[in-house]
Amino acid sequence: MSADIVRELQTAIRTGKVVLGYRRTLRELVNDRAKLVVVAKNAPSHIIEELKYYASLSQTPILVFEGSSRELGAACRKPFMVSALAILDPGESNILHMVQGGG
């Protein structure tokens, strides 16, 4: 996973509004508040499929993090695994532009 994505993710967590966890991410997607969804590569397939489905309905970009949920948790500077997260407000980060612009 690109170090740029990790850095922008940490900036979004620090300066914006991010919810961690599959259930909270799903809730924000359904309520059309998520600007971007990030899901760990090793998340259970039903979680990935459900998030992709709701992301397509709300036309929210979804990023598959090229690492495990443990690595995604570490990228978020959390001492636990994170299978999915939703960025509601990117704050000072450029992560939305990076994802939409392809890098």
Side-chain angles (χ1 to χ4, degrees), residues 6-8 48 61 63 77 79 82 89 91 94-95 97 100:
V6 171
R7 190 177 61 242
E8 294 301 329
I48 295 174
L63 170 70
R77 296 196 167 130
V82 174
D89 174 5
N94 294 320
I95 195 163
H97 301 294
Q100 288 158 348

Side-chain angles (χ1 to χ4, degrees), residues 14-34:
R14 199 173 62 249
T15 63
K17 184 160 174 44
V18 177
V19 297
L20 303 179
Y22 157 68
R23 285 185 193 85
R24 292 181 68 194
T25 297
L26 191 58
R27 188 180 316 130
E28 298 301 341
L29 256 180
V30 168
N31 292 324
D32 206 20
R33 285 193 294 255

Side-chain angles (χ1 to χ4, degrees), residues 8 27 43 46 66 71 76 82 90 103:
E8 294 301 329
R27 188 180 316 130
H46 70 277
E66 292 297 321
E71 290 168 317
C76 297
V82 174

